[in-house]
Amino acid sequence: MRAIALALVALALLPASALAHATLQQTVPQRGAKLDKPPAEVTFRFDESVEASFGALRIFDSKGQEVQTGKAFHPGGKGADIAVKLKPGLGDGTYTATYRVVSADGHVVSSGFVFTVGEASAPSESLDQLLATGSKSGKITTAALGVARALQYAAIALGLGTLIFFLACWRRLGVTSRPFIAKLERLLLVAGILGVVSAVAALALQGAVGEGATFWSAARPDTIKEVLGTRFGRAWGIGAALWIIALIVLATKPLRPRGEPRVVDPPPEGEPALVLAGGAASARGTAPSGAAATIPAPARAAVPVSTPHLVALSVPLFALVLLPSFGGHTSVQSPVAILLPANLLHVLAMSAWLGGIAVLVFALRAATAELEPDQRTPLLAGVVGRFSAIASIALPVLLLSGVVQAIVEVRSFPALLDSAFGRAVLIKVMVAVAIIALGYINRQEILPELRKAAADDSTPGKAGVLLRRTLRLEFLLGLTAIAVTGALSSYAPSVAESSGPYATTAIIGPARLEVTVDPAKVGPNQLHLYLFDRKTGAAFEQTKELDVTAAMPSKNVPPLTLNSHVAGPGHYVVDGATLSVKGKWIISVTDRVSDFDQYQTRFTVPIQ
């Protein structure tokens, strides 16, 4: 509750939020313009920088043929403007300009608009069909990119969390179990390999999504080079390099003990004292014969390791905390001063918690297996006690930073259910509640039982069995949270969702109707309606009266009359159509061509 209260205070201090997703602000020529001669180029102006070399601008004539020439470029070097030149000698007709660009947060945005040169002609395909022209990437490619992100986040949590566990929980216990260290090195190796593979896969998948190509066609050096030129590519390319450095350092065995243990501080109150015996830990009291070293209670020993090697491993692993932010939207979405630190703390806390859980589940048994049953309890209680202290800090930080990001990026309760991003956040919230509940059980019930058993020189018993089960369940919940985070990174935040102008095509009697709703968001919208003769493709000029209404039956919104006016032959415009409720609106168009004949069509427009 304190974490949620602090998050609400943070929200109250937030300035008006700018969106991280690139949004189209203006076009040249203007949307729906009627020109006397074809322009030399078409320009799209966004509210933030977009990638020119990695995007696609296509201009289609009424026959569906592409009429642009050359590559897209930034006019005047302005990152927010992107343009493409047109072929010379274009004739009259209706042209459809489409864009598919990568915004600063790594997400692909696409849409388009229609303009006319001279006499209008019916486009051969709708905007949606033209946007899909040449595109071979689909939902599977996008989902695969989300999986690659999730695997990268899991690698960061595993690698960094293992290191944090070694430094904060294990090293200061004075335990020199080589099988346990070997298990830690194996976990770090798995994290490193997973980190490199997922980073390289993400670069290729981002290329596939950006180009609208398949994974295999995008997995080429030239495409990867283009991706590395983007903000997303630079962040993930550096991430792959950091993992390679970590793997090289790992080959030097940086966690292996070098030298004799040295006495440091006494154990925390309530934690059983340990002594070293035969390279492992034994219970309190006299070490068995053949002990390598003895640390009398209540002292502690720190296992010396090579500091340069440990620093060389720590630097790249801690630097990877930056990857989710700089490869996503939290480093570009306003207010960056709140979202960026919150995300960094979120990743660090997740790593400390989930990586520690992984060590307890997969590695700790290697240390306890070396001991007699009655000697395992002090080690178990000592390790779990230290990790519990870390988790008691990490989980509140994890919750607080997650709540802050959720409030900023979702902003409204309906968005939790109405958007994919909001639903993913809601799942993470439920997973977090379950994790906190398990953590409470471990800290308040299981840990005291372990300490009591250690004081009585008895085996872990039921407490040990219950601890093993709860840790496994926590680990599975952590993996679920990582998977949801991978999905989250593939979605635009609820406050940043940009539907762009909505366009569709319908048949209305003898005419073909092309409709554009701009910007397709709650509030005032402008509708452009183009009528073309289905036989000749010329502007349909037999309309006597055009009636347009908008309704939302699902929210009990009755049909609202939208007044249209003639803007040109077969071209009608509705200015300031107030669509004040988010959701799917039913737009009905009635075309009266005589006193006795009229035709009607309807279509659904999603308003964000």
Side-chain angles (χ1 to χ4, degrees):
M1 293 302 295
R2 284 194 293 269
I4 294 175
L6 288 173
L8 292 174
V9 171
L11 176 62
L13 299 176
L14 293 179
S17 177
L19 305 183
H21 234 33
T23 303
L24 184 65
Q25 299 290 305
Q26 186 180 359
T27 64
V28 180
Q30 293 184 357
R31 185 178 291 113
K34 184 175 175 60
L35 310 176
D36 293 330
K37 61 179 181 179
E41 63 186 39
V42 174
T43 302
F44 299 85
R45 181 164 298 151
F46 296 87
D47 61 347
E48 65 173 41
S49 294
V50 294
E51 304 293 349
S53 60
F54 194 53
L57 302 186
R58 294 176 177 176
I59 317 300
F60 298 90
D61 61 17
S62 58
K63 297 179 181 179
Q65 301 297 315
E66 295 185 31
V67 296
Q68 78 279 358
T69 182
K71 293 184 177 181
F73 62 94
H74 290 301
K78 297 180 180 178
D81 292 359
I82 184 170
V84 68
K85 294 187 178 297
L86 299 183
K87 295 178 180 178
L90 296 180
D92 291 354
T94 298
Y95 294 86
T96 304
T98 67
Y99 64 86
R100 182 184 178 87
V101 296
V102 180
S103 56
D105 63 350
H107 289 100
V108 175
V109 290
S110 61
S111 191
F113 71 98
V114 175
F115 65 92
T116 301
V117 176
E119 293 295 327
S121 58
S124 60
E125 297 177 289
S126 67
L127 176 61
D128 291 340
Q129 292 171 318
L130 293 175
L131 281 171
T133 299
S135 177
K136 297 180 181 179
S137 65
K139 293 182 178 180
I140 294 179
T141 305
T142 303
L145 180 56
V147 171
R149 289 176 183 261
L151 292 176
Q152 179 65 216
Y153 303 155
I156 293 172
L158 179 60
L160 182 57
T162 298
L163 178 64
I164 292 173
F165 187 95
F166 174 79
L167 295 174
C169 299
W170 185 261
R171 189 183 175 202
R172 299 178 69 83
L173 284 175
V175 181
T176 58
S177 172
R178 293 187 181 277
F180 176 79
I181 296 300
K183 287 283 188 180
L184 293 190
E185 291 173 344
R186 191 172 301 172
L187 289 176
L188 287 169
L189 179 62
V190 170
I193 294 174
L194 188 61
V196 172
V197 172
S198 60
V200 173
L203 292 173
L205 287 166
Q206 178 73 358
V209 172
E211 286 186 342
T214 63
F215 171 81
W216 299 111
S217 62
R220 306 187 314 271
D222 57 335
T223 300
I224 299 297
K225 182 179 179 180
E226 283 204 43
V227 177
L228 289 173
T230 68
R231 193 174 185 279
F232 173 93
R234 287 189 292 271
W236 282 73
I238 292 173
L242 290 173
W243 278 118
I244 293 174
I245 293 173
L247 287 173
I248 293 174
V249 176
L250 187 61
T252 67
K253 309 295 183 183
L255 306 186
R256 295 294 174 93
R258 291 171 170 84
E260 294 295 326
R262 56 186 175 81
V263 178
V264 286
D265 55 357
E269 183 180 355
E271 183 179 315
L274 302 176
V275 297
L276 297 180
S282 73
R284 294 186 302 170
T286 304
S289 60
T294 301
I295 307 300
R300 269 298 181 269
V303 177
V305 295
S306 173
T307 301
H309 288 79
L310 198 57
V311 170
L313 179 64
S314 301
V315 170
L317 288 181
F318 276 96
L320 283 164
V321 173
L322 300 169
L323 175 57
S325 289
F326 286 89
H329 55 261
T330 54
S331 61
V332 292
Q333 181 179 349
S334 180
V336 174
I338 290 178
L339 281 180
L340 180 57
N343 187 259
L344 296 181
L345 288 173
H346 195 73
V347 175
L348 186 60
M350 169 61 82
S351 300
W353 170 77
L354 184 58
I357 293 291
V359 172
L360 293 176
V361 171
F362 296 108
L364 187 57
R365 192 176 183 127
T368 59
E370 294 184 295
L371 304 175
E372 295 298 326
D374 60 339
Q375 295 176 346
R376 296 172 184 170
T377 309
L379 176 61
L380 193 60
V383 172
V384 173
R386 283 184 176 270
F387 176 72
S388 180
I390 293 175
S392 65
I393 298 174
L395 284 178
V397 171
L398 189 67
L399 176 63
L400 176 61
S401 57
V403 169
V404 169
Q405 293 179 84
I407 291 177
V408 174
E409 296 174 337
V410 178
R411 285 297 178 97
S412 66
F413 182 77
L416 285 173
L417 302 175
D418 295 341
S419 66
F421 187 91
R423 290 189 291 270
V425 168
L426 195 59
I427 293 173
K428 284 195 70 175
V429 169
M430 292 187 291
V431 170
V433 170
I435 290 172
I436 291 173
L438 290 173
Y440 178 85
I441 294 173
N442 287 338
R443 186 171 180 82
Q444 299 299 323
E445 298 183 19
I446 298 177
L447 184 57
E449 289 294 324
L450 288 176
R451 287 175 172 166
K452 183 174 181 295
D456 297 338
D457 292 329
S458 61
T459 60
K462 289 185 177 180
V465 175
L466 184 58
L467 175 65
R468 184 166 58 250
R469 290 176 179 174
T470 56
L471 287 177
R472 288 174 178 173
L473 184 53
E474 279 192 69
F475 183 71
L476 291 176
L477 288 173
L479 291 182
T480 301
I482 291 288
V484 175
T485 303
L488 268 175
S489 62
S490 300
Y491 304 139
S494 301
V495 296
E497 284 188 347
S498 175
S499 63
Y502 174 81
T504 189
T505 303
I507 299 300
I508 181 168
R512 177 190 180 95
L513 176 66
E514 291 277 349
V515 181
T516 301
V517 182
D518 188 16
K521 293 184 179 180
V522 171
N525 283 264
Q526 186 177 67
L527 277 70
H528 285 266
L529 302 98
Y530 299 89
L531 292 167
F532 302 98
D533 190 289
R534 293 173 60 186
K535 294 181 178 180
T536 65
F540 187 78
E541 300 185 65
Q542 301 177 28
T543 300
K544 304 298 183 183
E545 183 179 352
L546 195 71
D547 296 331
V548 184
T549 63
M552 184 182 284
S554 61
K555 298 290 181 67
N556 297 320
V557 178
L560 307 175
T561 300
L562 305 180
N563 297 319
S564 64
H565 62 85
V566 179
H571 181 195
Y572 296 80
V573 177
V574 176
D575 292 313
T578 302
L579 306 178
S580 56
V581 180
K582 182 179 179 180
K584 296 181 179 180
W585 285 77
I586 305 299
I587 306 296
S588 299
V589 179
T590 302
D591 185 11
R592 303 181 190 278
V593 297
S594 69
D595 292 339
F596 305 100
D597 298 315
Q598 67 179 31
Y599 307 95
Q600 187 179 51
T601 188
R602 62 179 57 190
F603 46 89
T604 302
V605 178
I607 299 296
Q608 298 290 341

